Amino acid sequence: MNIDELRGKIRDIKDFPTEGILFKDITTLLRDGPAWASVIDHLAARYHTARVDVVVGVESRGFIFGGALAHQLKAGFVPVRKRGKLPARTIEEEYELEYGRDVLAIHEDAVGKGQRVLAAMQDGVLNLCRVKLRDQQRLARTGVMEEYPQYPNGTFGDAVPRAGNASGGGQPGWILKCKGWETDPNAYIYFITQAPVWKDICKVIGREEWLTDPRYATPKGRLPHLMEIFGEIEQWTMTKTKFEAMELLNKYDIPCGPILSMKELAEEPSLRKTGTVVEVDHPNRGKYLTVGNPIKLSDSPTEVVRSPLLGEHTEEVMQELGYTAEQIDALRAAKAI
């Protein structure tokens, strides 16, 4: 039934409960099985794509509609009652009726604290630029970025320069070749020469003499020689696959990360486990991979579903707008939909 037909099922009672009040009597609607079912269908259609945890119903009509709607949505139901009707600690709110005032109450623990989460794509990308943002402020103070490849022979302007493979942030880093780089464009590892693990770096690559060489012994002394240092480290990484190198470096907490191809990312088990990469089944296309929700909320898991087929939900949308099955069939016969 459409909305106008359902509205016609409600009876008006004048001067009830007091003179001057036009009371909307829904008992005539409730006793009509098809009309009552249609009301709940309309309400459920409005929220069928939302994740509804509980439906809150206000005494007493809200109990009738809310309970049925909660059942349809497979959600919980929370009653809001008049003062003194609920047994545990409550939150109360006074409200005004057309013919008086009253107080409603809900249990304090009936629903959890809700919040809306804003996660703009630009915000997420900018978060990855936080090191460069710090570098920009550092450049404004010092006029030079010693861990950047432009140092010591290049010039710096008023903005952080393009850095190529340099990590910035005061921590020298570079992409290094690994075993198989001649034929595999992804046989690379990112390597950061952090000062706290410098001793371990020298030990792992077999250049322990650097520890006493004034050109390499201190972070300040190493800055003019970074490309030479990374060249020596690369001679070591080229004897290992990127995963072998990472496994050895991790034992010493030396910061590094393999450069992964899209094939490796798609097949990475940890990304599947966390829902970062998910498999979706499409009736026409078959199974395919896509990215999941990057924001993981413990009590609000996200289900990634396929896109709808053309016209797949036309009937549901039309019903939500109040069209009857007969009207929808007529529109389809006329090729309007």
Side-chain angles (χ1 to χ4, degrees), residues 45-62:
R46 179 174 296 181
Y47 304 107
H48 78 280
T49 59
R51 178 181 169 81
V52 178
D53 296 316
V54 295
V55 175
V56 178
V58 179
E59 186 176 350
S60 57
R61 297 185 186 190

Side-chain angles (χ1 to χ4, degrees), residues 3-4 25 53 78-79 124 130 176-177 235 244 252 301 322:
I3 299 300
D4 288 334
D25 180 17
D53 296 316
V78 173
R130 58 191 180 276
L176 306 178
K177 297 173 184 174
Q235 292 303 309
E244 290 171 344
Y252 298 92

Side-chain angles (χ1 to χ4, degrees), residues 17-280:
T18 60
E19 187 175 353
I21 300 298
L22 180 63
F23 187 84
K24 297 293 183 177
D25 180 17
I26 62 171
T27 59
T28 48
L29 168 65
L30 297 177
R31 73 186 182 197
D32 187 318
W36 170 232
S38 182
V39 168
I40 301 305
D41 288 342
H42 277 292
L43 289 172
R46 179 174 296 181
Y47 304 107
H48 78 280
T49 59
R51 178 181 169 81
V52 178
D53 296 316
V54 295
V55 175
V56 178
V58 179
E59 186 176 350
S60 57
R61 297 185 186 190
F63 292 0
I64 301 171
F65 290 93
L69 178 59
H71 174 76
Q72 189 93 327
L73 296 176
K74 294 181 173 56
F77 178 75
V78 173
V80 175
R81 304 208 63 186
K82 301 291 180 63
R83 173 183 278 170
K85 298 290 185 68
L86 292 174
R89 292 183 60 178
T90 61
I91 301 170
E92 296 186 347
E93 185 69 29
E94 187 177 13
Y95 69 102
E96 188 170 343
L97 298 159
E98 291 175 299
Y99 43 85
R101 303 179 68 86
D102 213 329
V103 177
L104 289 175
I106 184 174
H107 277 144
E108 285 185 349
D109 59 357
V111 295
K113 182 179 180 180
Q115 57 184 317
R116 294 186 179 276
V117 179
L118 174 64
M121 183 181 296
Q122 185 182 48
D123 296 353
V125 173
L126 184 59
N127 185 264
L128 299 177
C129 300
R130 58 191 180 276
V131 171
K132 300 299 182 183
L133 184 60
R134 292 198 300 268
D135 284 353
Q136 178 62 46
Q137 296 166 81
R138 187 157 56 96
L139 177 64
R141 292 194 307 271
T142 65
V144 66
M145 315 290 290
E146 295 180 336
E147 77 279 13
Y148 276 62
Q150 288 83 353
Y151 178 83
N153 301 315
T155 58
F156 291 86
D158 60 357
V160 173
R162 300 295 179 187
N165 293 327
S167 62
Q171 301 293 340
W174 205 254
I175 291 178
L176 306 178
K177 297 173 184 174
C178 291
K179 187 177 181 179
W181 68 272
E182 300 91 343
T183 56
D184 182 359
N186 299 293
Y188 289 83
I189 193 169
Y190 200 86
F191 193 106
I192 298 178
T193 56
Q194 276 189 344
V197 291
W198 177 246
K199 179 179 178 181
D200 294 316
I201 292 172
C202 295
K203 178 181 177 180
V204 168
I205 69 171
R207 297 303 300 266
E208 292 181 82
E209 70 273 14
W210 281 355
L211 295 173
T212 56
D213 190 323
R215 294 174 300 170
Y216 310 113
T218 65
K220 187 74 172 178
R222 290 192 288 273
L223 288 174
H225 310 289
L226 287 178
M227 290 302 98
E228 177 190 347
I229 291 170
F230 283 124
E232 288 295 320
I233 297 173
E234 188 172 61
Q235 292 303 309
W236 178 83
T237 59
M238 288 168 61
T239 66
K240 310 283 189 298
T241 68
K242 59 189 177 184
F243 296 110
E244 290 171 344
M246 180 181 67
E247 184 177 1
L248 287 168
L249 295 170
N250 281 347
K251 293 178 180 178
Y252 298 92
D253 292 327
I254 298 172
C256 66
I259 306 302
L260 299 180
S261 68
M262 286 309 302
K263 182 175 185 296
E264 289 169 324
L265 287 170
E267 296 173 351
E268 173 56 43
S270 64
L271 297 179
R272 300 291 188 92
K273 185 176 180 180
T274 60
T276 303
V277 175
V278 297
E279 187 176 79
V280 179

